[in-house]
Amino acid sequence: MNELVIDLEAEKAEILKRYRALLKACKSTLQRGDKRLIRQAFDMALDSHKDMRRKSGEPYIYHPIAVAQIAAEEIGLGTTSIVCALLHDVVEDTAITLEDIEREFGKKVAKIIDGLTKISGVFDTNSSLQAENFRKMLLTLADDVRVILIKLADRLHNMRTMDFMPRDKQLKISSETIYLYAPLAHRLGLYAMKSELEDLSMKYMESETYKFIAKKLNEKKAEREQYVKAFVEPIKEILEEQDLQSEVYGRPKSIHSIWSKMRKKGVPFEEVYDLFAIRIILDSKPETEKADCWKAYSIVTDLYRPNPDRLRDWISSPRANGYESLHTTVMGPKGQWVEVQIRTLRMNEIAEKGFAAHWKYKESSSDSGLDQWIQKVRELLSNPESNALDFLDDFKMNLFSDEIFIFTPKGALKQLPTEATALDFAFEIHTDIGVKCIGAKVNHKLVPLSYNLQNGDQVEIITSSKQSPKEDWLNFVVTAKAKSKIKSSLKEEKRRIAEEGKEILERKLKSLKITYNTDNINKITYFFKYPSPLDLFYNVATGAIDLKDLKQFQSSEKVIEQRSPEKIEAHQIEGIINKVKSKDSNTLLIGEDMQKIDYKLSTCCNPIPGDDVFGFITINDGIKIHRTTCPNAAKLMSNYSYRIVKAKWTSQKELAFLTGLRITGIDDVGLINKLTTVISYDFKVNMRSITVDSNEGIFEGSIMVYVNDTQHLDNLIKKLKQVKGVTSVTRFDSEQQNIDLAS
Ligand code: MN
């Protein structure tokens, strides 16, 4: 028998070593008595976790120490937070109670620990629980933002140490991270943490691509460093001549951001030009900060020609998360565009440590975008109409988007997400203006409600007392505020109209001698296939229902089954999961289990053999197979993880799978012919559809083809790329859609 030998003495020494490193990390913020407090927390954590180990076999205490270290070093939090980070898991996992914590460390610490314990909650098979948890977590923003910052540190450390977790847990945790935590870190201004969270998620969800890009980056490292050196040398010289204390260096972009660019633009790695950015960090006095940054800008652009479209002044108007910096893109040696970021030490600290650093400098920038953002979160949360999942979607929309600045006619500045329309702006000013809005003047020109605003636009809203919100408004507004106001006013309108329909129906039923009662109304609702009586009444009022059909209902009444609309039941899901789990591997083998378990390939991402995939249990349509890179995957995994089953392909050469290719090139008469020849004759692949768009000599086509697996597809892509005139061939991901969870 193999016995695991643990050297307890060595472990004890290692624990102490890590503890001392933690103390060193918080040294700059320590005040009298703090050290004793941290020691006390450490002793309590050490003692209460003493018999616990992590999945890796390491002592559990390594985890809280590491979380505390991240909180101190990477977020810049102070003693109270360090104490809370050390104790963050004790109430949940050990015999220590909140009362114990309060007695030893006081009310404030107990409250934060309480928040942390509540957020983590117990996982349950309830669909919106994850969303609900997230909502709870954000609610604590109003209370104490440290709860969220410590939670982020906790998540970062768990992501860093996830190798020992089972694969399905890795996928679930990664998708949650990419879906919720990384955007949250971004919003709180923690750029370094956001990038690391994204990279780590990608490492587990897209491991092949991750390794591929990492390898490519490494291959060109020396060349890149040489380039950076040549680029920054003259800048440094002149900065020095002009007595500007500074640090100038090149910083590689994260793997995830390079990958996003490749996907967004549909280009291979070789065509992503900005693999790094140059940073100029100035050591300035507060009163000359802005002038110094522009001086540096002037030096850079004297040396290299700037791209006038790429100047971003986040110093005059900081981003909503507090970020301040001057960005420009210039033409470097060898005709390469290079992004240059210019900022001061203070701005850099805010850029890296986000919220906490912002706090520290609060006096100097009182009216911060971040305060406004927290105010917005509060507004959103206090809306009783929104359900947790809707809320999350709206909220995420606002998290992801960058902001633009719009002027009112009187010159006041409003911050909106990019993609915001004239109507969003109207709602931003006031709900009453939003609901009555019929159009707008942008820079004195008349535009429709759906007009996409550009940074710096001056907008005047035109209203009419006769206007009321329309259903299709929801298709183009992007701010959570406009969305929820439109939804609630539509609902109100619908209720009003439904009330009329109800009266019409009552009269009709009376004449048909059908009793008006809840039971019959439910039956009629089911007969006309509406989700609720409210919809039934509404459609009666609008005339969408022909009431003559009620006769048909009357005669069919006897045969109608007493069935409520289908709803997925926990035991049904359990049944399917158990069916899969009863197999040895716990994994759904696609191709093999076909007869026993009902599954289909999803049409949103068209998986083919060779893709990383998972199964999602639907209500009416068995198991649907999605790619782990499906635009819907993160949402499904983080909100409905109990409905996820592991899935794997078995080899099946004889089957063909549908996938889509996007091809661009220079238009030429014979191009389509050449492409279809390669596909149908050289590769003997069947095509299902082909759509082609030609615009000013640029050819853009989408082709749906049947292939056997990813290898087969890669070969086809390679061949198509060799066709003369073709500039790119990519497999396309469909857009994120509102997928129907039932089917
Ligand atoms: Mn933890």
Side-chain angles (χ1 to χ4, degrees):
M1 209 179 101
N2 268 336
E3 203 174 309
L4 188 65
V5 183
I6 296 168
D7 184 344
L8 286 175
E9 282 309 307
E11 242 172 39
K12 222 183 249 168
E14 179 63 25
I15 292 171
L16 274 181
K17 195 175 129 206
R18 292 183 187 213
Y19 173 67
R20 279 193 208 105
L22 166 66
L23 276 185
K24 209 169 150 206
C26 15
K27 208 169 168 190
S28 62
T29 57
L30 285 185
Q31 284 171 4
R32 184 189 291 273
D34 284 357
K35 218 167 159 177
R36 192 189 50 80
L37 217 54
I38 293 173
R39 179 76 207 199
Q40 201 180 332
F42 169 70
D43 286 340
M44 185 187 248
L46 183 62
D47 184 54
S48 58
H49 290 301
K50 70 172 177 288
D51 298 321
M52 295 166 61
R53 287 186 180 269
R54 304 198 83 207
K55 277 248 160 35
S56 60
E58 290 177 334
Y60 194 85
I61 189 73
Y62 287 3
H63 170 63
I65 295 177
V67 173
Q69 183 136 8
I70 292 169
E73 222 162 33
E74 294 172 50
I75 312 182
L77 293 171
T79 301
T80 307
S81 304
I82 306 301
V83 166
C84 293
L86 282 168
L87 297 171
H88 80 271
D89 278 331
V90 298
V91 173
E92 201 182 340
D93 299 338
T94 78
I96 305 246
T97 64
L98 264 186
E99 288 71 52
D100 299 333
I101 304 262
E102 187 173 333
R103 200 174 48 244
E104 288 207 33
F105 299 96
K107 264 205 164 60
K108 207 193 284 167
V109 170
K111 200 152 182 244
I112 295 174
I113 303 275
D114 186 32
L116 283 162
T117 311
K118 276 188 187 136
I119 291 171
S120 66
V122 188
F123 190 70
D124 197 310
T125 55
N126 176 336
S127 67
S128 61
L129 200 83
Q130 291 292 94
E132 199 51 56
N133 269 347
F134 190 66
R135 183 178 165 129
K136 262 191 221 140
M137 173 157 131
L138 290 168
L139 264 169
T140 60
L141 254 184
D143 256 9
D144 196 324
V145 76
R146 284 176 290 193
V147 176
I148 292 183
L149 295 170
I150 296 166
K151 185 70 198 168
L152 279 169
D154 183 28
R155 173 55 58 125
L156 180 59
H157 185 247
N158 285 333
M159 288 294 295
R160 281 176 183 171
T161 52
M162 209 158 59
D163 284 341
F164 293 91
M165 286 279 185
R167 174 85 179 137
D168 58 331
K169 277 262 174 59
Q170 289 175 345
L171 280 178
K172 177 184 175 284
I173 295 173
S174 299
S175 60
E176 236 175 59
T177 299
I178 201 77
Y179 187 68
L180 300 173
Y181 290 89
L184 191 58
H186 184 187
R187 208 40 168 180
L188 291 171
L190 295 151
Y191 282 94
M193 184 181 283
K194 172 213 163 219
S195 299
E196 192 180 344
L197 287 174
E198 284 174 343
D199 271 10
L200 287 167
S201 302
M202 187 184 163
K203 190 175 133 195
Y204 292 103
M205 296 176 79
E206 267 293 295
S207 45
E208 287 308 311
T209 319
Y210 181 85
K211 278 184 228 151
F212 169 80
I213 297 176
K215 190 171 146 255
K216 285 271 184 186
L217 274 176
N218 206 23
E219 277 167 14
K220 295 270 161 116
K221 198 173 169 207
E223 193 182 307
R224 208 164 46 240
E225 278 170 356
Q226 196 119 49
Y227 187 94
V228 168
K229 194 161 175 252
F231 183 92
V232 304
E233 214 52 62
I235 299 178
K236 277 183 175 168
E237 250 168 54
I238 304 179
L239 281 168
E240 223 162 274
E241 269 171 36
Q242 303 204 1
D243 265 341
L244 287 163
Q245 293 291 323
S246 67
E247 211 186 315
V248 186
Y249 55 89
R251 217 190 129 74
K253 293 263 169 91
S254 77
I255 292 180
H256 182 270
S257 72
I258 292 170
W259 183 55
S260 313
K261 198 152 266 177
M262 285 165 63
R263 284 199 306 177
K264 212 153 126 195
K265 298 201 168 155
V267 296
F269 177 85
E270 284 71 23
E271 284 169 41
V272 178
Y273 68 84
D274 44 353
L275 296 173
F276 62 89
I278 300 293
R279 273 200 195 145
I280 301 178
I281 312 291
L282 299 156
D283 187 2
S284 289
K285 290 193 194 73
E287 55 278 16
T288 61
E289 273 195 317
K290 194 170 165 181
D292 287 350
C293 288
W294 284 105
K295 252 188 227 165
Y297 172 82
S298 160
I299 292 169
V300 172
T301 52
D302 278 346
L303 288 163
Y304 306 105
R305 189 169 59 79
N307 178 339
D309 295 335
R310 301 291 300 271
L311 173 64
R312 295 278 178 279
D313 174 9
W314 301 113
I315 295 179
S316 306
S317 328
R319 300 175 95 158
N321 59 18
Y323 182 81
E324 291 172 68
S325 191
L326 203 56
H327 292 192
T328 180
T329 301
V330 299
M331 182 61 80
K334 298 183 201 158
Q336 194 182 332
W337 289 112
V338 177
E339 184 182 317
V340 183
Q341 307 174 346
I342 303 166
R343 52 192 185 233
T344 62
L345 275 173
R346 177 191 67 84
M347 296 172 191
N348 194 47
E349 197 175 346
I350 288 176
E352 274 172 3
K353 294 185 179 165
F355 193 87
H358 201 87
W359 240 348
K360 190 167 131 193
Y361 292 109
K362 208 163 180 180
E363 283 81 29
S364 58
S365 53
S366 55
D367 185 17
S368 76
L370 201 62
D371 290 340
Q372 286 175 28
W373 179 70
I374 290 177
Q375 181 57 35
K376 279 215 178 100
V377 172
R378 279 192 197 128
E379 268 175 35
L380 264 179
L381 290 166
S382 61
N383 182 358
E385 287 273 325
S386 68
N387 91 15
L389 268 181
D390 269 0
F391 158 80
L392 200 62
D393 277 345
D394 288 350
F395 181 77
K396 263 175 56 63
M397 186 66 216
N398 283 5
L399 271 179
F400 274 130
S401 39
D402 274 323
E403 51 281 320
I404 51 175
F405 296 93
I406 304 298
F407 293 97
T408 68
K410 285 184 179 154
L413 203 56
K414 295 275 176 197
Q415 230 169 21
L416 287 165
T418 47
E419 312 281 307
T421 59
L423 188 57
D424 284 302
F425 179 73
F427 275 99
E428 191 60 33
I429 298 174
H430 200 280
T431 307
D432 293 344
I433 296 188
V435 296
K436 297 285 171 218
C437 179
I438 54 168
K441 275 185 185 168
V442 171
N443 307 325
H444 307 296
K445 247 175 58 196
L446 205 61
V447 299
L449 296 175
S450 59
Y451 179 83
N452 272 102
L453 299 174
Q454 303 297 315
N455 203 10
D457 278 347
Q458 185 165 45
V459 183
E460 184 187 342
I461 296 296
I462 305 164
T463 58
S464 157
S465 58
K466 293 194 181 68
Q467 179 70 302
S468 65
K470 305 284 180 285
E471 190 88 39
D472 76 309
W473 286 10
L474 291 170
N475 296 333
F476 56 80
V477 294
V478 298
T479 53
K481 188 176 184 178
K483 266 192 191 154
S484 73
K485 297 289 182 199
I486 294 169
K487 276 185 202 158
S488 66
S489 95
L490 284 174
K491 223 185 249 170
E492 218 171 90
E493 178 73 1
K494 193 172 173 183
R495 261 186 221 128
R496 198 184 56 73
I497 294 171
E499 208 49 48
E500 293 169 19
K502 193 173 164 189
E503 281 166 28
I504 297 171
L505 189 64
E506 265 187 272
R507 284 199 296 274
K508 185 72 190 176
L509 290 182
K510 210 170 183 181
S511 75
L512 287 171
K513 307 234 171 359
I514 301 174
T515 325
Y516 184 96
N517 60 23
T518 323
D519 190 35
N520 277 336
I521 290 299
N522 283 340
K523 282 181 190 166
I524 296 168
T525 305
Y526 184 67
F527 175 77
F528 285 107
K529 299 201 165 39
Y530 285 106
S532 73
L534 182 76
D535 292 281
L536 174 75
F537 298 148
Y538 176 78
N539 284 288
V540 168
T542 59
I545 291 179
D546 190 349
L547 287 179
K548 285 190 203 111
D549 291 345
L550 274 173
K551 290 227 172 76
Q552 215 179 312
F553 163 74
Q554 210 169 12
S555 55
S556 71
E557 213 324 42
K558 287 161 236 108
V559 292
I560 290 182
E561 277 177 70
Q562 282 281 358
R563 242 174 95 195
S564 58
E566 288 201 62
K567 216 180 135 213
I568 192 149
E569 302 288 345
H571 66 87
Q572 270 175 275
I573 293 179
E574 238 168 72
I576 300 175
I577 291 176
N578 286 339
K579 227 166 157 183
V580 175
K581 287 206 169 149
S582 64
K583 320 258 325 160
D584 327 327
S585 58
N586 231 354
T587 302
L588 173 66
L589 295 176
I590 308 167
E592 206 178 61
D593 297 338
M594 205 159 219
Q595 281 77 35
K596 284 167 235 138
I597 295 166
D598 182 23
Y599 74 84
K600 292 194 178 72
L601 303 176
S602 77
T603 51
C604 54
C605 55
N606 293 317
I608 62 176
D611 286 332
D612 272 345
V613 289
F614 65 92
F616 182 74
I617 301 168
T618 68
I619 300 167
N620 302 324
D621 218 9
I623 299 179
K624 281 265 169 81
I625 306 298
H626 292 266
R627 289 160 67 186
T628 51
T629 54
C630 172
N632 300 307
K635 184 171 173 181
L636 295 179
M637 288 196 251
S638 54
N639 287 320
Y640 303 97
S641 67
Y642 66 102
R643 285 163 69 175
I644 302 285
V645 289
K646 280 189 280 179
K648 220 166 63 188
W649 299 97
T650 53
S651 68
Q652 38 190 316
K653 272 280 178 248
E654 69 285 3
L655 287 174
F657 296 85
L658 192 64
T659 190
L661 291 176
R662 186 161 292 138
I663 302 178
T664 58
I666 311 299
D667 199 8
D668 128 29
V669 209
L671 190 58
I672 296 183
N673 206 359
K674 278 184 229 156
L675 291 174
T676 51
T677 305
V678 170
I679 295 171
S680 313
Y681 292 94
D682 299 357
F683 263 79
K684 309 248 182 305
V685 160
N686 284 326
M687 279 186 289
R688 193 173 78 172
S689 67
I690 175 163
T691 38
V692 172
D693 208 14
S694 178
N695 198 349
E696 291 172 19
I698 304 296
F699 166 95
E700 258 189 53
S702 307
I703 303 181
M704 300 299 291
V705 291
Y706 287 96
V707 294
N708 296 330
D709 53 25
T710 43
Q711 177 88 52
H712 191 199
L713 179 66
D714 288 345
N715 289 340
L716 176 63
I717 290 178
K718 218 188 216 164
K719 257 284 151 45
L720 287 172
K721 277 186 176 163
Q722 286 164 8
V723 173
K724 200 173 153 239
V726 168
T727 51
S728 83
V729 182
T730 46
R731 176 177 179 186
F732 63 76
D733 292 320
S734 55
E735 297 298 304
Q736 179 161 357
Q737 15 175 279
N738 274 326
I739 64 164
D740 182 358
L741 294 168
S743 57

